[in-house]
Amino acid sequence: ISSPNFPSYYGRFQGCRISVPEGMGPISVESFETQRGYDILTVNGSPFDGYGDDELEGTEPDSDITWTSTGTELKKGWKICATRAIPAPTTTTSTTSLNVEEGSPWE
């Protein structure tokens, strides 16, 4: 997941909400560069901004992630990943056997 235009500069007055899938796991920060105090990534209600925000590393999101930028200074933005793969949906297949006796109408 990354900010718009990453790794180029993000735009002015941007915002988005990222739905967090169940089982996403802790966040791994690949890159983080925003305007401190103004351009903010919010995870679990906590704001993250500035450079290489170490506190974000390992955070396990339990709600949507939000991003907002102002119209002043622009930076490269951020790129984060889930450290645990989200399991694929499982499919259940069932098989029914029918024994047909010799001489029956279904033989």
Side-chain angles (χ1 to χ4, degrees):
I1 306 167
S2 64
S3 56
N5 301 326
F6 182 86
S8 298
Y9 289 0
Y10 51 80
R12 300 184 193 297
F13 304 109
Q14 290 185 325
C16 68
R17 179 175 304 276
I18 302 159
S19 296
V20 174
E22 189 174 325
M24 178 175 156
I27 290 173
S28 171
V29 179
E30 291 198 11
S31 182
F32 199 94
E33 181 185 331
T34 70
Q35 184 184 13
R36 185 170 299 282
Y38 296 96
D39 302 338
I40 299 171
L41 183 69
T42 304
V43 181
N44 297 342
S46 296
F48 297 94
D49 59 354
Y51 290 91
D53 207 313
D54 293 333
E55 292 177 16
L56 179 57
E57 183 74 31
T59 300
E60 190 159 353
D62 58 16
S63 60
D64 290 351
I65 296 170
T66 59
W67 161 248
T68 57
S69 68
T70 62
T72 54
E73 190 177 333
L74 302 179
K75 302 282 184 178
K76 282 179 42 178
W78 47 268
K79 182 176 181 180
I80 59 175
C81 298
T83 57
R84 179 172 43 226
I86 301 166
T90 57
T91 304
T92 304
T93 305
S94 61
T95 305
T96 304
S97 298
L98 178 63
N99 292 327
V100 178
E101 292 185 20
E102 196 172 317
S104 72
W106 297 286
E107 179 178 48

XYZ file of all heavy atoms in Angstrom:
817
model
N 0.871 -1.159 0.000
C 0.000 0.000 0.000
C 0.914 1.215 0.000
O 1.891 1.246 0.737
C -0.892 0.028 1.258
C -1.672 -1.268 1.410
C -1.816 1.229 1.216
C -2.323 -1.420 2.773
N 0.572 2.219 -0.812
C 1.432 3.400 -0.853
C 0.607 4.669 -1.017
O -0.558 4.625 -1.418
C 2.446 3.292 -1.996
O 1.785 3.277 -3.238
N 1.247 5.793 -0.722
C 0.606 7.085 -0.944
C 0.509 7.321 -2.448
O 1.258 6.733 -3.228
C 1.412 8.193 -0.258
O 2.755 8.192 -0.697
N -0.427 8.173 -2.867
C -0.578 8.453 -4.297
C 0.737 8.952 -4.905
O 1.467 9.722 -4.287
C -1.648 9.545 -4.335
C -2.426 9.350 -3.065
C -1.410 8.890 -2.056
N 1.050 8.469 -6.095
C 2.230 8.847 -6.890
C 3.549 8.291 -6.366
O 4.588 8.587 -6.931
C 2.363 10.370 -7.028
C 1.170 10.996 -7.688
O 0.555 10.415 -8.562
N 0.822 12.189 -7.248
N 3.539 7.526 -5.270
C 4.792 7.004 -4.722
C 5.555 6.216 -5.788
O 4.940 5.479 -6.544
C 4.517 6.083 -3.517
C 5.764 5.558 -2.888
C 6.416 6.304 -1.928
C 6.302 4.347 -3.275
C 7.595 5.842 -1.357
C 7.477 3.879 -2.709
C 8.119 4.640 -1.747
N 6.851 6.398 -5.971
C 7.792 7.130 -5.137
C 7.964 8.600 -5.517
O 8.827 9.274 -4.960
C 9.089 6.362 -5.336
C 9.015 5.891 -6.746
C 7.546 5.587 -6.963
N 7.152 9.113 -6.450
C 7.187 10.548 -6.735
C 6.417 11.293 -5.646
O 5.723 10.676 -4.841
C 6.552 10.820 -8.103
O 7.286 10.171 -9.123
N 6.504 12.598 -5.653
C 5.824 13.386 -4.628
C 4.313 13.221 -4.703
O 3.741 13.167 -5.794
C 6.156 14.866 -4.778
C 7.569 15.233 -4.389
C 8.480 14.288 -3.929
C 8.006 16.525 -4.495
C 9.764 14.633 -3.564
C 9.294 16.891 -4.132
C 10.165 15.942 -3.670
O 11.428 16.281 -3.310
N 3.682 13.128 -3.546
C 2.220 13.101 -3.487
C 1.690 14.511 -3.751
O 2.438 15.493 -3.727
C 1.718 12.556 -2.145
C 2.309 13.194 -0.909
C 1.846 14.416 -0.430
C 3.325 12.563 -0.206
C 2.382 14.993 0.710
C 3.870 13.128 0.939
C 3.398 14.344 1.396
O 3.926 14.908 2.517
N 0.395 14.617 -4.009
C -0.210 15.896 -4.348
C -0.711 16.688 -3.149
O -0.703 16.206 -2.019
N -1.169 17.877 -3.422
C -1.730 18.751 -2.400
C -3.170 18.343 -2.081
O -3.899 17.929 -2.961
C -1.728 20.191 -2.885
C -0.356 20.732 -3.216
C -0.456 22.216 -3.592
N 0.716 22.785 -4.204
C 1.909 22.912 -3.670
N 2.129 22.428 -2.482
N 2.911 23.477 -4.303
N -3.534 18.492 -0.824
C -4.903 18.255 -0.351
C -5.444 16.887 -0.764
O -6.555 16.776 -1.265
C -5.836 19.372 -0.842
C -5.368 20.733 -0.440
C -4.856 21.611 -1.389
C -5.410 21.140 0.881
C -4.419 22.874 -1.026
C -4.966 22.398 1.255
C -4.469 23.265 0.295
N -4.655 15.861 -0.555
C -5.094 14.500 -0.861
C -5.595 13.817 0.403
O -5.240 14.198 1.516
C -3.950 13.676 -1.445
C -3.564 14.100 -2.834
C -2.513 13.202 -3.430
O -1.635 12.698 -2.741
N -2.595 13.009 -4.727
N -6.405 12.825 0.209
C -6.884 12.044 1.332
C -7.450 10.729 0.839
O -7.945 10.644 -0.284
N -7.355 9.725 1.672
C -7.951 8.444 1.322
C -8.162 7.622 2.586
O -7.579 7.895 3.637
C -7.108 7.672 0.312
S -5.525 7.071 0.946
N -9.018 6.631 2.469
C -9.283 5.666 3.538
C -8.981 4.291 2.964
O -9.471 3.933 1.907
C -10.729 5.761 3.987
C -11.101 4.763 5.084
C -12.523 4.984 5.582
N -12.734 6.337 6.054
C -12.437 6.775 7.284
N -11.900 5.952 8.154
N -12.666 8.020 7.636
N -8.182 3.525 3.676
C -7.774 2.195 3.229
C -8.437 1.169 4.138
O -8.215 1.180 5.350
C -6.238 2.048 3.282
C -5.591 3.129 2.412
C -5.811 0.653 2.871
C -4.155 3.424 2.750
N -9.255 0.318 3.553
C -9.908 -0.736 4.328
C -8.895 -1.814 4.663
O -8.191 -2.299 3.783
C -11.062 -1.352 3.538
O -12.056 -0.386 3.317
N -8.831 -2.173 5.927
C -7.878 -3.175 6.389
C -8.565 -4.535 6.413
O -9.541 -4.724 7.119
C -7.356 -2.819 7.798
C -6.482 -3.923 8.353
C -6.602 -1.503 7.759
N -8.061 -5.496 5.622
C -8.658 -6.830 5.624
C -8.331 -7.580 6.911
O -7.269 -7.366 7.509
C -8.029 -7.519 4.418
C -6.746 -6.804 4.209
C -6.946 -5.392 4.691
N -9.227 -8.421 7.332
C -8.996 -9.242 8.516
C -7.750 -10.097 8.294
O -7.549 -10.645 7.219
C -10.210 -10.131 8.767
C -10.154 -10.853 10.089
C -11.438 -11.620 10.368
O -12.512 -11.136 9.975
O -11.341 -12.697 10.957
N -6.895 -10.173 9.284
C -5.692 -10.988 9.174
C -4.551 -10.319 8.452
O -3.587 -10.976 8.061
N -4.605 -8.984 8.261
C -3.545 -8.284 7.538
C -2.182 -8.469 8.203
O -1.183 -8.610 7.535
C -3.856 -6.789 7.444
C -2.781 -5.988 6.753
S -3.277 -4.297 6.546
C -1.692 -3.500 6.425
N -2.135 -8.474 9.497
C -0.872 -8.636 10.205
C -0.161 -7.322 10.422
O -0.624 -6.265 9.999
N 0.990 -7.355 11.085
C 1.753 -6.145 11.387
C 2.260 -5.454 10.113
O 2.489 -6.093 9.093
C 2.928 -6.649 12.221
C 2.504 -7.978 12.726
C 1.585 -8.550 11.700
N 2.469 -4.162 10.234
C 2.957 -3.351 9.116
C 4.483 -3.401 9.054
O 5.163 -3.300 10.064
C 2.490 -1.885 9.283
C 0.982 -1.796 9.053
C 3.253 -0.953 8.354
C 0.403 -0.432 9.352
N 4.976 -3.528 7.826
C 6.400 -3.383 7.545
C 6.548 -2.094 6.741
O 5.883 -1.922 5.722
C 6.891 -4.577 6.728
O 8.199 -4.350 6.270
N 7.385 -1.168 7.194
C 7.566 0.120 6.522
C 8.710 0.012 5.528
O 9.851 -0.243 5.912
C 7.854 1.245 7.544
C 8.062 2.575 6.831
C 6.732 1.344 8.568
N 8.400 0.174 4.251
C 9.441 0.157 3.218
C 10.029 1.550 3.003
O 11.209 1.685 2.719
C 8.890 -0.406 1.920
C 8.583 -1.885 2.027
C 8.444 -2.553 0.683
O 8.786 -1.942 -0.354
O 7.991 -3.702 0.661
N 9.181 2.578 3.116
C 9.634 3.956 2.949
C 8.627 4.869 3.629
O 7.418 4.601 3.601
C 9.747 4.284 1.457
O 10.219 5.602 1.265
N 9.122 5.950 4.245
C 8.211 6.884 4.911
C 8.840 8.272 4.945
O 9.877 8.479 5.588
C 7.916 6.416 6.338
C 6.668 7.044 6.904
C 5.450 6.394 6.804
C 6.715 8.290 7.514
C 4.297 6.980 7.305
C 5.567 8.879 8.013
C 4.362 8.221 7.911
N 8.241 9.218 4.202
C 8.729 10.597 4.157
C 7.547 11.521 3.896
O 7.058 11.617 2.780
C 9.774 10.760 3.050
C 10.352 12.145 2.951
C 11.292 12.304 1.782
O 11.931 11.317 1.369
O 11.387 13.434 1.270
N 7.065 12.166 4.959
C 5.950 13.110 4.842
C 6.322 14.413 5.549
O 7.291 14.467 6.307
C 4.654 12.556 5.475
O 4.794 12.514 6.895
C 4.316 11.171 4.941
N 5.526 15.464 5.329
C 5.773 16.720 6.019
C 5.347 16.585 7.476
O 4.173 16.345 7.765
C 5.020 17.871 5.359
C 5.337 19.207 6.007
C 4.521 20.344 5.430
O 3.557 20.138 4.720
N 4.920 21.563 5.769
N 6.302 16.704 8.367
C 6.052 16.524 9.803
C 4.993 17.518 10.291
O 5.065 18.698 10.024
C 7.338 16.701 10.598
C 7.155 16.411 12.085
C 8.441 16.345 12.857
N 9.361 15.313 12.421
C 9.243 14.018 12.732
N 8.240 13.597 13.454
N 10.135 13.151 12.289
N 3.989 16.946 10.974
C 2.950 17.771 11.578
C 1.802 18.142 10.656
O 0.814 18.720 11.110
N 1.915 17.833 9.374
C 0.875 18.249 8.425
C 0.332 17.113 7.571
O -0.870 17.002 7.383
C 1.402 19.369 7.522
C 1.723 20.626 8.286
C 3.015 20.884 8.715
C 0.720 21.539 8.600
C 3.311 22.028 9.436
C 0.997 22.686 9.321
C 2.293 22.920 9.734
O 2.581 24.052 10.451
N 1.204 16.316 6.999
C 0.780 15.234 6.105
C 0.850 13.934 6.911
O 1.943 13.491 7.280
C 1.669 15.181 4.867
C 1.633 16.509 4.107
O 0.660 17.275 4.281
O 2.572 16.784 3.351
N -0.316 13.355 7.174
C -0.409 12.349 8.227
C -1.060 11.048 7.759
O -2.128 11.054 7.160
C -1.190 12.925 9.419
C -0.426 14.145 9.973
C -1.402 11.888 10.507
C -1.176 14.938 11.003
N -0.407 9.942 8.095
C -0.959 8.598 7.945
C -1.454 8.197 9.338
O -0.691 8.275 10.306
C 0.114 7.623 7.461
C -0.348 6.192 7.182
C -1.249 6.155 5.950
C 0.855 5.283 6.982
N -2.712 7.812 9.442
C -3.283 7.452 10.739
C -3.582 5.959 10.774
O -4.286 5.446 9.906
C -4.571 8.254 11.017
O -4.265 9.653 10.933
C -5.131 7.945 12.393
N -3.022 5.280 11.775
C -3.217 3.841 11.961
C -3.659 3.619 13.407
O -2.983 4.080 14.334
C -1.930 3.046 11.671
C -2.162 1.553 11.851
C -1.405 3.344 10.267
N -4.787 2.957 13.590
C -5.342 2.699 14.931
C -5.521 3.985 15.731
O -5.313 4.017 16.932
C -4.477 1.714 15.720
C -4.402 0.357 15.076
O -5.219 0.007 14.244
N -3.414 -0.425 15.457
N -5.859 5.071 15.037
C -6.085 6.347 15.706
C -4.817 7.121 16.024
O -4.889 8.234 16.538
N -3.636 6.566 15.729
C -2.365 7.244 16.015
C -1.815 7.880 14.738
O -1.744 7.223 13.697
C -1.336 6.253 16.553
O -1.765 5.724 17.778
N -1.414 9.154 14.806
C -0.857 9.831 13.624
C 0.626 9.504 13.435
O 1.389 9.439 14.402
C -1.041 11.313 13.971
C -0.989 11.359 15.467
C -1.566 10.046 15.941
N 1.012 9.296 12.183
C 2.412 9.053 11.826
C 2.795 10.050 10.745
O 2.086 10.181 9.740
C 2.609 7.620 11.337
C 2.308 6.597 12.406
C 1.053 6.020 12.489
C 3.274 6.229 13.322
C 0.765 5.086 13.473
C 2.999 5.298 14.316
C 1.741 4.723 14.388
N 3.923 10.742 10.942
C 4.372 11.750 9.981
C 5.880 11.923 10.101
O 6.514 11.368 10.999
C 3.656 13.077 10.218
C 3.893 13.631 11.622
O 4.514 12.935 12.454
O 3.465 14.767 11.887
N 6.452 12.654 9.153
C 7.890 12.922 9.189
C 8.694 11.922 8.375
O 8.262 11.483 7.312
N 9.865 11.543 8.902
C 10.789 10.669 8.186
C 10.965 9.336 8.898
O 11.218 9.305 10.101
C 12.161 11.336 8.071
C 12.162 12.506 7.139
C 11.912 13.786 7.619
C 12.393 12.334 5.787
C 11.906 14.872 6.761
C 12.385 13.406 4.922
C 12.139 14.682 5.416
O 12.133 15.741 4.560
N 10.878 8.244 8.158
C 11.198 6.918 8.668
C 10.588 6.618 10.024
O 11.284 6.255 10.952
N 9.314 6.794 10.144
C 8.630 6.654 11.429
C 8.739 5.234 11.977
O 7.975 4.353 11.634
C 7.169 7.077 11.300
C 6.624 7.564 12.611
O 6.840 6.891 13.631
O 5.992 8.618 12.609
N 9.723 5.018 12.848
C 9.996 3.691 13.415
C 8.838 3.161 14.259
O 8.684 1.953 14.397
C 11.266 3.715 14.267
C 12.504 3.963 13.424
O 12.487 3.613 12.227
O 13.485 4.512 13.963
N 8.055 4.047 14.842
C 6.941 3.607 15.685
C 5.862 2.895 14.876
O 5.106 2.095 15.410
C 6.343 4.791 16.431
C 7.288 5.362 17.466
C 6.722 6.580 18.153
O 5.502 6.815 18.056
O 7.503 7.302 18.793
N 5.773 3.183 13.585
C 4.784 2.543 12.719
C 5.157 1.082 12.436
O 4.281 0.219 12.322
C 4.651 3.324 11.411
C 3.680 2.800 10.360
C 2.266 2.673 10.928
C 3.672 3.716 9.149
N 6.446 0.794 12.365
C 6.927 -0.562 12.081
C 6.369 -1.545 13.110
O 6.481 -1.334 14.313
C 8.457 -0.596 12.120
C 9.060 -1.937 11.780
C 8.999 -2.266 10.307
O 9.058 -1.347 9.473
O 8.905 -3.461 9.993
N 5.735 -2.604 12.632
C 5.213 -3.643 13.515
C 3.815 -3.377 14.061
O 3.244 -4.234 14.723
N 3.254 -2.193 13.781
C 1.895 -1.891 14.225
C 0.920 -2.802 13.488
O 1.012 -2.956 12.273
C 1.540 -0.412 13.942
O 2.449 0.417 14.645
C 0.123 -0.098 14.347
N -0.008 -3.397 14.208
C -1.013 -4.261 13.593
C -2.335 -3.502 13.511
O -2.970 -3.253 14.536
C -1.183 -5.553 14.380
C -2.025 -6.560 13.635
C -1.808 -7.979 14.114
O -0.912 -8.223 14.943
O -2.548 -8.847 13.641
N -2.743 -3.088 12.305
C -3.959 -2.299 12.170
C -5.203 -3.096 12.575
O -5.343 -4.265 12.215
C -4.019 -1.953 10.686
C -2.756 -2.409 10.084
C -2.101 -3.345 11.029
N -6.089 -2.429 13.316
C -7.350 -3.078 13.685
C -8.548 -2.298 13.159
O -9.689 -2.607 13.484
C -7.436 -3.277 15.204
C -7.324 -1.977 15.981
O -7.478 -0.891 15.380
O -7.066 -2.043 17.192
N -8.287 -1.266 12.357
C -9.347 -0.474 11.728
C -8.769 0.164 10.466
O -7.586 -0.007 10.161
C -9.850 0.596 12.703
O -8.795 1.456 13.080
N -9.616 0.907 9.743
C -9.166 1.538 8.506
C -7.965 2.449 8.740
O -7.808 3.044 9.809
C -10.294 2.366 7.890
C -11.415 1.507 7.337
O -11.255 0.266 7.279
O -12.455 2.077 6.965
N -7.114 2.548 7.723
C -5.959 3.445 7.714
C -6.364 4.668 6.906
O -7.000 4.532 5.856
C -4.737 2.748 7.071
C -4.312 1.542 7.911
C -3.585 3.726 6.871
C -3.271 0.657 7.229
N -6.013 5.877 7.387
C -6.347 7.093 6.628
C -5.090 7.893 6.309
O -4.087 7.821 7.020
C -7.337 7.994 7.396
O -6.769 8.363 8.646
C -8.662 7.284 7.620
N -5.170 8.645 5.214
C -4.067 9.498 4.754
C -4.619 10.873 4.407
O -5.651 10.974 3.745
C -3.405 8.889 3.528
C -2.576 9.828 2.703
C -2.845 10.271 1.446
C -1.344 10.448 3.095
N -1.851 11.126 1.030
C -0.926 11.241 2.030
C -0.570 10.404 4.250
C 0.246 11.993 2.069
C 0.597 11.156 4.289
C 0.995 11.926 3.205
N -3.943 11.929 4.858
C -4.301 13.296 4.482
C -3.031 14.100 4.255
O -2.036 13.930 4.966
C -5.137 14.006 5.580
O -4.417 13.991 6.800
C -6.488 13.348 5.760
N -3.063 14.961 3.231
C -1.945 15.877 2.985
C -2.489 17.293 2.873
O -3.651 17.499 2.516
C -1.184 15.490 1.707
O -1.973 15.715 0.556
N -1.636 18.267 3.196
C -2.022 19.670 3.122
C -1.559 20.254 1.794
O -1.049 19.534 0.940
C -1.386 20.458 4.281
O 0.035 20.382 4.147
C -1.822 19.906 5.623
N -1.677 21.533 1.667
C -1.292 22.179 0.417
C 0.044 22.865 0.480
O 0.354 23.688 -0.370
N 0.849 22.551 1.481
C 2.119 23.257 1.610
C 3.265 22.444 1.015
O 3.364 22.305 -0.185
C 2.381 23.619 3.091
O 2.299 22.433 3.882
C 1.358 24.615 3.610
N 4.117 21.889 1.819
C 5.310 21.176 1.360
C 4.972 19.738 0.949
O 4.263 19.042 1.659
C 6.313 21.153 2.516
C 7.673 20.683 2.152
C 8.616 20.767 3.348
O 8.397 21.596 4.241
O 9.561 19.969 3.363
N 5.487 19.293 -0.183
C 5.226 17.938 -0.671
C 6.476 17.067 -0.507
O 7.598 17.548 -0.617
C 4.804 17.966 -2.139
C 3.570 18.813 -2.445
C 3.265 18.784 -3.928
C 2.377 18.355 -1.646
N 6.259 15.785 -0.253
C 7.352 14.823 -0.054
C 7.088 13.571 -0.885
O 6.083 13.475 -1.589
C 7.455 14.434 1.427
C 7.685 15.586 2.372
C 9.112 16.024 2.354
C 9.351 17.114 3.388
N 10.716 17.542 3.435
N 7.984 12.570 -0.753
C 7.846 11.303 -1.492
C 6.659 10.468 -1.023
O 6.105 9.687 -1.779
C 9.107 10.455 -1.356
C 10.242 10.904 -2.234
C 11.481 10.065 -2.057
C 11.208 8.599 -1.954
N 12.395 7.761 -1.834
N 6.299 10.573 0.247
C 5.187 9.785 0.757
C 5.649 8.523 1.447
O 6.717 8.484 2.041
N 4.867 7.477 1.309
C 5.124 6.270 2.090
C 4.711 5.027 1.319
O 3.895 5.081 0.402
C 4.361 6.334 3.417
C 2.932 6.758 3.261
C 2.445 8.041 3.334
C 1.812 5.931 2.954
N 1.093 8.046 3.097
C 0.668 6.766 2.869
C 1.653 4.569 2.745
C -0.603 6.278 2.582
C 0.381 4.081 2.455
C -0.723 4.938 2.380
N 5.335 3.918 1.737
C 4.961 2.606 1.229
C 5.052 1.636 2.399
O 6.088 1.543 3.053
C 5.870 2.145 0.102
C 5.454 0.796 -0.479
C 6.304 0.399 -1.659
C 5.827 -0.935 -2.222
N 6.645 -1.339 -3.363
N 3.924 0.955 2.672
C 3.881 -0.022 3.755
C 3.379 -1.351 3.208
O 2.679 -1.391 2.196
C 2.986 0.456 4.930
C 1.553 0.711 4.453
C 3.576 1.693 5.580
C 0.576 1.069 5.569
N 3.740 -2.427 3.878
C 3.312 -3.769 3.473
C 2.815 -4.536 4.689
O 3.182 -4.220 5.823
C 4.470 -4.543 2.857
S 5.135 -3.797 1.365
N 2.008 -5.549 4.446
C 1.608 -6.471 5.506
C 2.704 -7.511 5.642
O 3.236 -7.990 4.638
C 0.279 -7.135 5.163
N 3.049 -7.862 6.868
C 4.108 -8.853 7.055
C 3.569 -10.272 7.062
O 4.321 -11.222 7.012
C 4.869 -8.607 8.365
O 3.939 -8.629 9.444
C 5.588 -7.284 8.333
N 2.253 -10.411 7.129
C 1.641 -11.745 7.121
C 0.717 -11.809 5.913
O -0.087 -10.916 5.687
C 0.843 -11.968 8.407
C 0.155 -13.307 8.458
C -0.480 -13.612 9.816
N -1.181 -12.492 10.399
C -1.059 -12.109 11.672
N -0.243 -12.730 12.481
N -1.749 -11.097 12.136
N 0.843 -12.875 5.143
C -0.013 -13.053 3.976
C -1.452 -13.267 4.417
O -1.715 -13.931 5.414
C 0.455 -14.243 3.145
N -2.361 -12.681 3.681
C -3.779 -12.863 3.952
C -4.199 -14.176 3.315
O -4.000 -14.380 2.118
C -4.593 -11.685 3.387
C -4.109 -10.388 4.032
C -6.070 -11.892 3.607
C -4.581 -9.152 3.341
N -4.737 -15.105 4.101
C -5.092 -16.404 3.534
C -6.185 -16.290 2.475
O -7.089 -15.474 2.589
C -5.582 -17.211 4.743
C -5.861 -16.217 5.807
C -5.084 -14.973 5.496
N -6.036 -17.095 1.449
C -7.048 -17.147 0.394
C -8.297 -17.846 0.926
O -8.204 -18.689 1.816
C -6.503 -17.910 -0.810
N -9.455 -17.468 0.398
C -10.671 -18.150 0.841
C -10.590 -19.646 0.553
O -10.018 -20.061 -0.450
C -11.780 -17.515 0.015
C -11.170 -16.417 -0.760
C -9.686 -16.482 -0.620
N -11.139 -20.438 1.434
C -11.122 -21.887 1.238
C -12.390 -22.324 0.524
O -13.445 -21.720 0.667
C -11.018 -22.631 2.578
O -12.102 -22.220 3.397
C -9.712 -22.325 3.271
N -12.266 -23.370 -0.252
C -13.395 -23.943 -0.968
C -13.585 -25.363 -0.471
O -12.629 -26.114 -0.347
C -13.112 -23.975 -2.490
O -12.810 -22.641 -2.915
C -14.286 -24.527 -3.253
N -14.831 -25.696 -0.186
C -15.142 -27.045 0.276
C -15.865 -27.775 -0.835
O -16.808 -27.266 -1.423
C -16.048 -26.995 1.531
O -15.373 -26.209 2.509
C -16.336 -28.368 2.053
N -15.400 -28.975 -1.131
C -16.030 -29.813 -2.149
C -16.508 -31.092 -1.478
O -15.782 -31.693 -0.701
C -15.023 -30.175 -3.260
O -14.475 -28.970 -3.788
C -15.677 -30.980 -4.355
N -17.738 -31.464 -1.792
C -18.241 -32.718 -1.235
C -18.654 -33.647 -2.370
O -19.062 -33.211 -3.430
C -19.423 -32.471 -0.297
O -20.485 -31.874 -1.001
N -18.511 -34.926 -2.126
C -18.867 -35.946 -3.103
C -19.824 -36.928 -2.453
O -19.612 -37.326 -1.312
C -17.610 -36.702 -3.567
O -16.658 -35.746 -4.059
C -17.928 -37.698 -4.653
N -20.870 -37.269 -3.189
C -21.832 -38.248 -2.684
C -21.790 -39.460 -3.592
O -21.823 -39.334 -4.811
C -23.260 -37.659 -2.672
O -23.232 -36.456 -1.899
C -24.255 -38.633 -2.116
N -21.703 -40.629 -2.989
C -21.713 -41.870 -3.763
C -23.066 -42.547 -3.588
O -23.659 -42.519 -2.514
C -20.629 -42.816 -3.261
O -19.370 -42.217 -3.443
N -23.515 -43.170 -4.663
C -24.783 -43.890 -4.631
C -24.523 -45.294 -5.153
O -23.993 -45.466 -6.251
C -25.817 -43.171 -5.518
C -27.181 -43.803 -5.648
C -27.893 -43.837 -4.292
C -28.026 -43.041 -6.645
N -24.837 -46.277 -4.362
C -24.692 -47.664 -4.794
C -25.993 -48.098 -5.457
O -27.053 -48.009 -4.865
C -24.397 -48.578 -3.604
C -23.026 -48.296 -3.015
O -22.110 -47.934 -3.746
N -22.907 -48.444 -1.716
N -25.878 -48.524 -6.701
C -27.052 -48.962 -7.461
C -27.021 -50.485 -7.525
O -26.038 -51.078 -7.968
C -27.048 -48.353 -8.884
C -28.236 -48.841 -9.671
C -26.999 -46.829 -8.809
N -28.099 -51.079 -7.067
C -28.177 -52.537 -7.081
C -28.518 -53.022 -8.472
O -29.269 -52.384 -9.208
C -29.241 -53.007 -6.094
C -28.856 -52.737 -4.645
C -29.867 -53.317 -3.688
O -30.642 -54.218 -4.079
O -29.869 -52.862 -2.537
N -27.972 -54.169 -8.800
C -28.232 -54.790 -10.087
C -29.721 -55.046 -10.223
O -30.387 -55.493 -9.300
C -27.459 -56.122 -10.163
C -27.351 -56.665 -11.571
C -26.419 -57.857 -11.650
O -25.339 -57.804 -11.015
O -26.798 -58.820 -12.320
N -30.249 -54.694 -11.364
C -31.660 -54.895 -11.632
C -32.540 -53.709 -11.263
O -33.723 -53.703 -11.514
N -31.954 -52.638 -10.680
C -32.750 -51.461 -10.318
C -32.962 -50.605 -11.546
O -32.224 -50.717 -12.539
C -32.058 -50.669 -9.210
O -30.926 -50.000 -9.722
N -33.979 -49.723 -11.554
C -34.272 -48.890 -12.720
C -33.157 -47.883 -13.039
O -33.122 -47.334 -14.126
C -35.564 -48.166 -12.370
C -35.814 -48.389 -10.922
C -34.968 -49.520 -10.491
N -32.207 -47.619 -12.104
C -31.147 -46.632 -12.339
C -29.852 -47.271 -12.817
O -28.844 -46.604 -12.950
C -30.855 -45.855 -11.045
C -32.058 -45.076 -10.626
C -32.530 -43.946 -11.206
C -32.932 -45.374 -9.563
N -33.645 -43.531 -10.558
C -33.931 -44.404 -9.527
C -33.019 -46.411 -8.610
C -34.963 -44.389 -8.618
C -34.043 -46.385 -7.702
C -34.999 -45.381 -7.715
N -29.876 -48.559 -13.074
C -28.674 -49.274 -13.460
C -28.236 -48.851 -14.835
O -28.952 -48.622 -15.726
C -28.931 -50.776 -13.390
C -27.761 -51.602 -13.796
C -28.038 -53.065 -13.663
O -29.086 -53.531 -14.121
O -27.194 -53.737 -13.085
